[in-house]
């Protein structure tokens, strides 16, 4: 599209605003709509999209601002300048030891190295990102899917803990301050019982369409990190927390600097004991490496940092009775037993299902229908049955017989043999592993539209199930050819919701290659692996051709993709149904090639290979250094290789091969020098 003149854009925008105002008044004031709901809604969307595209567009009559009329159903969506990530969880000492070991390995440090952590109570609230320009609060976003949040500025403006102007010195030109919005337990008790717990109340209040309503619920804010920042230099998290205080933010008074896993655990137990006395819900402690340089070196995996972890508090437990055991069939064909239990309240949440994990778990614990069991719920994790009270078991309870046929399609099931562990898998799977098994197909479609995949709003799990029953969908591609006429006749579907669904689906037709690879649901290919594959292949064409000529060689070089993943990808491409789905999706979607992180890095168009042990840096970090600077890692000595980097005790075969092929052989320090010449 041609670039329009800003004046023309403004004119067009205000024309729409005027129209919107007229329709709005007619609809809400006079209860006399001038246009259909869908026309109204499309207009609203157009305005919001224009505002998103051109930041200079603003109007007090915009649907993004709460008006005197019934305000917009939608908050404006805004992309985070840097994504809002999540954290991996740790439950015990072993998890923490593994966390630290991985860090030390990555940094190539000895095990006796001491790392300093900022230990911060994890408030169970709603995270928000606050954008400040020259110290002034401009815009506040909810987390959303981590990439794009909702503009909830008006509501955040009602929170007194959020400084509207930053105080003190050292204020950067631009900064996103991130923290948690929450409600105190004592304030929660005063509210009517509209909400199940303080977190829900905070979330409900924050998402109120009318900021006056938000004001009624006393929300608090505690700051703990930052996203995007311009002209801001700080070396440590602990220092940053001090700066936050100086700027006028509240920070958690239980934040601590701690060294060593044993001390982390000590602090964890102490805080857990105090938990009940604290006037807000905390569900664990976040440990962050205190040094920002080290954080930077460690970077991220998928959507969580390598340098932080959330150490959860032990969960709430309750006793209940197993009424039935149902077998659910998952997207990859796994048969998961789920206990239907007598509903019980665990920590403020009514629980009536609890996972029994897999066939082996039922056998090991000898869990039977009718048993009295202990059920545990830890934060956002699915409740699980942890033990059986054998003393309370009636004599005639029968041993549970795990089905050998798939309860959905009747096909045989298998337990795979794992060559590495030399054991059979604990999970039983339906051999149909494709769209031929109804339950698998439904789960595959749910995965396809889920938040981490296409992220189609208004197409939740229940709706997918409903559409399946009505034969509206059988394959992922059917989403793009829905019978909207039929849908608008269904109960609960008005013109507006149909128009919205249509709109969200249309929007999500543009998809990055990595999201696409993830969304088609190849077993063992999660978000991180999908990213690795798309980074290597770079374009959709090469991905589609993987199956054509059995061309999986490119994938062999990817650090992180192993035999299991390659086998699974091959298996995926060998199935005709999958090929059929891919062909159809190719026609409906616009798959965008992956943006390279920095195409113009100093090592662009150069390939590298390492041999021998490197000093002071792990292989993983060295590889990530090459990639960060746009270089490529290869795993064979061939004409394609530009540099062989030799560490201590290099493999002589590789060095000789490189010599024969006239490949440059350089030392580790020569390699590091290449990176230092950035500015020359
Ligand atoms: S740091 C990558 N610090 O936990 C860093 N998060 O699962 C992630 N949270 O969405 C954020 N207290 O809502 C951080 N002191 C704290 C936190 C904290 C609570 C929440 C936050 C985030 C979630 C991550």
């Amino acid at each position: 599209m041609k670039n329009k003149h800003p004046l023309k854009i403004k004119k067009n925008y205000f024309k729409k605003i005027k129209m919107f105002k007229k329709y709005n008044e007619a609809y809400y004031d006079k209860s006399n709509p001038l246009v259909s709901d869908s026309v109204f809604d499309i207009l609203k969307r157009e305005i919001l999209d224009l505002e998103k595209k051109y930041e200079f567009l603003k109007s007090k009559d915009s649907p993004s601002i709460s008006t005197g009329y019934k305000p917009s159903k939608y908050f404006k969506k805004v992309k985070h300048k840097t994504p809002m990530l999540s954290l991996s969880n740790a439950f015990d000492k072993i998890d923490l030891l593994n966390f630290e070991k991985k860090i030390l390995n990555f940094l190539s440090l000895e095990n006796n190295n001491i790392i300093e952590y900022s230990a911060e109570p994890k408030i169970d609230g709603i995270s928000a990102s606050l954008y400040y320009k020259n110290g002034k609060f401009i815009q506040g976003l909810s987390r959303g899917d981590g990439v794009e949040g909702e503009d909830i500025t008006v509501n955040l403006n009602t929170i007194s803990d959020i400084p509207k102007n930053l105080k003190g010195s050292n204020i950067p030109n631009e900064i996103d301050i991130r923290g948690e919005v929450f409600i105190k337990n004592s304030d929660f008790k005063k509210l009517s019982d509209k909400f199940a717990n303080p977190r829900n109340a905070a979330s409900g209040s924050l998402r109120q369409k009318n900021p006056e309503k938000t004001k009624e619920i006393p929300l608090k804010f505690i700051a703990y990190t930052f996203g995007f920042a311009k002209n801001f230099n700080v070396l440590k998290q602990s220092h940053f927390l001090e700066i936050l205080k100086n700027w006028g933010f509240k920070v958690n008074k239980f934040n601590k600097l701690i060294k060593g896993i044993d001390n982390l655990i000590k602090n964890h137990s102490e805080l857990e004991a105090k938990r009940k006395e604290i006037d807000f819900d905390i569900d664990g402690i976040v440990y962050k490496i205190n040094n920002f340089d080290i954080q930077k070196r460690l970077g991220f995996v998928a959507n969580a940092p390598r340098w932080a972890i959330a150490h959860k508090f032990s969960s709430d437990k309750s006793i209940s009775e197993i009424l039935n055991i149902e077998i659910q069939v998952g997207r990859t064909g796994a048969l998961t037993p789920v206990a239907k239990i007598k509903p019980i309240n665990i920590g403020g949440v009514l629980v009536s299902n609890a996972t029994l994990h897999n066939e082996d778990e039922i056998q090991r614990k000898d869990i039977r229908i009718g048993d009295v069991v202990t059920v545990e719920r830890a934060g956002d994790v699915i409740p699980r049955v942890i033990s059986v009270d054998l003393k309370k078991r009636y004599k005639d309870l029968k041993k549970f017989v795990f089905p050998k046929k798939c309860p959905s399609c009747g096909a045989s099931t298998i337990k795979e043999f794992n060559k590495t562990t030399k054991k059979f898998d604990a999970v039983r799977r339906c051999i149909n592993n494709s769209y031929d098994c109804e339950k698998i197909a439904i789960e595959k479609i749910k995965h396809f539209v889920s938040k981490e995949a296409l992220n189609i709003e208004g197409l939740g799990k229940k709706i997918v199930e409903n559409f399946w029953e009505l034969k509206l969908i059988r394959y992922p591609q059917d989403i793009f050819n829905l019978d909207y006429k039929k849908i608008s006749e269904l109960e609960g579907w008005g013109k507006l919701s149909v128009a919205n669904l249509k709109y969200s689906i249309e929007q999500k037709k543009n998809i990055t290659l990595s999201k696409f690879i993830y969304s088609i649901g190849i077993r063992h290919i999660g978000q991180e692996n999908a990213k690795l594959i798309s980074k290597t292949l770079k374009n959709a064409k090469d991905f589609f051709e993987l199956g054509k000529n059995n061309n999986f060689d490119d994938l062999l070089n990817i650090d992180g993709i192993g035999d299991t993943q390659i086998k699974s990808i091959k298996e995926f491409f060998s199935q005709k149904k999958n090929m059929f789905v891919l062909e159809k999706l190719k026609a409906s979607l616009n798959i965008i090639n992956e943006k390279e992180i920095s195409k113009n890095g100093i090592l662009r168009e150069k390939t590298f290979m390492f041999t021998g042990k490197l000093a002071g840096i792990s292989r993983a970090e060295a590889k990530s250094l090459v990639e960060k600077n746009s270089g490529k890692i290869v795993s064979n000595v061939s004409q394609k290789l530009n540099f062989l980097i030799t560490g201590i005790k290099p493999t002589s075969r590789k060095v000789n091969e490189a010599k024969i092929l006239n490949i440059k052989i350089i030392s580790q320090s020569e390699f590091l020098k290449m990176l230092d010449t950035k500015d020359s």
Side-chain angles (χ1 to χ4, degrees), residues 480-507:
F480 305 109
N481 290 303
L482 285 174
D483 183 344
Y484 289 107
K485 192 168 169 294
K486 199 166 165 188
I487 297 172
S488 61
E489 286 157 11
L490 300 175
E491 214 190 292
W493 285 89
K495 274 190 190 148
L496 194 73
S497 39
V498 172
N500 280 336
L501 179 63
K502 215 169 172 175
Y503 182 87
S504 345
I505 292 176
E506 213 42 51
Q507 282 232 309

Side-chain angles (χ1 to χ4, degrees), residues 85-87 120-123 127 143 180 224-225 286 288 305 307:
L85 303 160
S86 48
L87 292 168
E120 308 167 13
K122 185 169 178 295
I123 301 181
S127 50
R143 180 176 187 275
E180 209 75 1
Y224 48 67
T225 191
V286 183
K288 301 172 186 170
W307 43 264

Side-chain angles (χ1 to χ4, degrees), residues 182-248:
F182 62 100
I183 176 170
K184 284 191 182 173
N185 291 339
S186 49
D187 286 327
F188 173 69
K189 282 196 192 109
K190 287 184 225 152
L191 295 175
S192 61
D193 40 30
K194 203 168 136 201
F195 300 105
N197 51 45
R199 186 178 193 275
N200 286 2
S203 159
S205 168
L206 250 197
R207 295 180 45 87
Q208 278 293 337
K209 306 292 145 57
N210 183 350
E212 288 301 315
K213 285 259 181 294
T214 306
K215 244 188 204 165
E216 287 167 17
I217 299 182
L219 293 171
K220 303 277 165 207
F221 183 81
I222 271 186
Y224 48 67
T225 191
F226 65 95
F228 171 81
K230 207 170 178 179
N231 297 341
F232 185 49
N233 271 322
V234 56
L235 299 177
K236 288 182 173 177
Q237 167 70 5
S238 50
H239 185 203
F240 176 64
L241 291 170
E242 283 303 315
I243 293 177
L244 280 173
K245 259 199 266 181
N246 295 338
W247 286 346

Side-chain angles (χ1 to χ4, degrees), residues 249-439:
F249 286 99
K250 298 231 162 89
V251 296
N252 205 310
K253 64 171 177 183
F254 299 104
N255 288 344
K256 274 203 175 117
L257 270 181
I258 298 176
K259 286 178 189 156
I261 302 291
D262 285 333
N263 292 325
L264 290 180
I265 290 173
K266 193 165 158 264
N267 175 61
H268 188 262
S269 329
E270 283 166 8
L271 197 65
E272 190 162 20
K274 261 195 250 163
R275 196 177 164 193
K276 290 271 180 302
E277 298 159 30
I278 303 174
D279 198 13
F280 46 82
D281 279 349
I282 44 181
D283 59 351
I285 308 181
V286 183
Y287 304 139
K288 301 172 186 170
I289 292 204
N290 197 34
N291 184 313
F292 282 142
D293 278 341
I294 300 186
Q295 286 191 4
K296 210 165 142 203
R297 274 177 70 188
L298 287 163
F300 304 88
V301 245
N303 53 2
R306 273 198 197 90
W307 43 264
I309 200 158
H311 188 186
K312 294 274 183 161
F313 285 139
S314 65
S315 52
D316 289 312
K317 294 183 190 103
S318 254
I319 310 282
S320 181
E321 185 193 328
I322 298 189
L323 304 174
N324 196 9
I325 295 177
E326 286 181 8
I327 308 293
Q328 289 181 353
V329 185
R331 169 170 73 82
T332 58
L335 269 48
T336 305
V338 175
K340 298 274 148 185
I341 57 168
K342 222 184 217 170
I344 33 152
N345 188 316
I346 315 184
V349 174
L350 199 66
V351 176
S352 46
N353 294 316
T355 181
L356 294 164
H357 299 290
N358 53 50
E359 182 178 6
D360 282 12
E361 176 91 355
I362 297 195
Q363 288 253 321
R364 196 170 43 243
K365 293 186 177 156
D366 184 20
I367 298 169
R368 307 180 183 194
I369 297 172
D371 268 339
V372 171
V373 289
T374 303
V375 180
E376 177 188 65
R377 192 185 74 90
D380 39 14
V381 187
I382 305 169
R384 58 197 194 110
V385 170
I386 51 169
S387 59
V388 181
D389 189 345
L390 290 174
K391 281 189 245 111
K392 294 216 171 105
R393 175 177 283 170
Y394 290 109
K395 257 199 220 125
D396 54 351
L397 290 192
K398 295 205 177 61
K399 228 181 157 59
F400 181 74
V401 185
F402 204 91
K404 298 288 177 288
K405 296 266 180 227
C406 171
S408 165
C409 67
S412 318
T413 59
I414 46 155
K415 284 180 147 198
E416 288 168 4
F417 186 73
N418 185 323
K419 277 191 201 146
T420 328
T421 59
K422 305 223 163 20
K423 275 185 191 151
F424 281 98
D425 202 353
V427 178
R428 186 171 277 284
R429 283 171 204 279
C430 165
I431 56 156
N432 239 335
N433 187 20
S434 174
Y435 295 90
D436 297 332
C437 171
E438 178 170 330
K439 284 278 155 50

Side-chain angles (χ1 to χ4, degrees), residues 411-556:
S412 318
T413 59
I414 46 155
K415 284 180 147 198
E416 288 168 4
F417 186 73
N418 185 323
K419 277 191 201 146
T420 328
T421 59
K422 305 223 163 20
K423 275 185 191 151
F424 281 98
D425 202 353
V427 178
R428 186 171 277 284
R429 283 171 204 279
C430 165
I431 56 156
N432 239 335
N433 187 20
S434 174
Y435 295 90
D436 297 332
C437 171
E438 178 170 330
K439 284 278 155 50
I440 294 181
I442 298 175
E443 292 307 315
K444 275 181 182 287
I445 300 175
K446 283 184 193 166
H447 171 80
F448 184 69
V449 301
S450 68
K451 205 166 173 179
E452 290 75 23
L454 260 75
N455 189 15
I456 296 181
E457 263 173 67
L459 198 56
K461 292 184 177 174
K462 283 273 169 292
I463 297 178
V464 170
E465 281 168 17
N466 187 231
F467 283 6
W468 177 278
E469 267 167 40
L470 297 165
K471 298 201 172 63
L472 286 163
I473 44 175
R474 283 293 174 266
Y475 297 100
Q477 64 267 26
D478 297 340
I479 305 290
F480 305 109
N481 290 303
L482 285 174
D483 183 344
Y484 289 107
K485 192 168 169 294
K486 199 166 165 188
I487 297 172
S488 61
E489 286 157 11
L490 300 175
E491 214 190 292
W493 285 89
K495 274 190 190 148
L496 194 73
S497 39
V498 172
N500 280 336
L501 179 63
K502 215 169 172 175
Y503 182 87
S504 345
I505 292 176
E506 213 42 51
Q507 282 232 309
K508 299 297 160 73
K509 281 190 176 170
N510 294 316
I511 183 171
T512 59
L513 180 58
S514 66
K515 273 218 170 173
F516 176 74
I517 297 175
Y518 172 73
S519 69
I520 53 175
I522 306 173
R523 196 172 152 206
H524 300 299
I525 306 298
Q527 283 171 284
E528 183 65 11
N529 284 338
K531 270 191 199 153
L532 292 174
I533 295 171
S534 70
K535 234 166 66 183
T536 305
L537 296 179
K538 297 206 179 67
N539 62 64
K541 189 170 157 274
D542 285 0
F543 178 72
F544 287 114
E545 278 178 2
L546 277 178
K548 285 213 177 111
N549 21 26
N550 229 355
N551 178 18
F552 299 96
D553 288 356
D554 276 355
L555 304 183
L556 286 169

Side-chain angles (χ1 to χ4, degrees), residues 70-99:
K70 191 179 165 195
S72 120
K73 189 172 170 236
Y74 295 97
F75 292 104
K76 185 168 83 172
K77 296 262 167 68
V78 181
K79 209 168 168 204
H80 294 293
K81 287 201 182 66
T82 48
M84 284 184 86
L85 303 160
S86 48
L87 292 168
S88 351
N89 290 331
F91 293 94
D92 50 28
K93 186 169 176 173
I94 295 176
D95 293 345
L96 292 178
L97 287 169
N98 279 332
F99 166 70

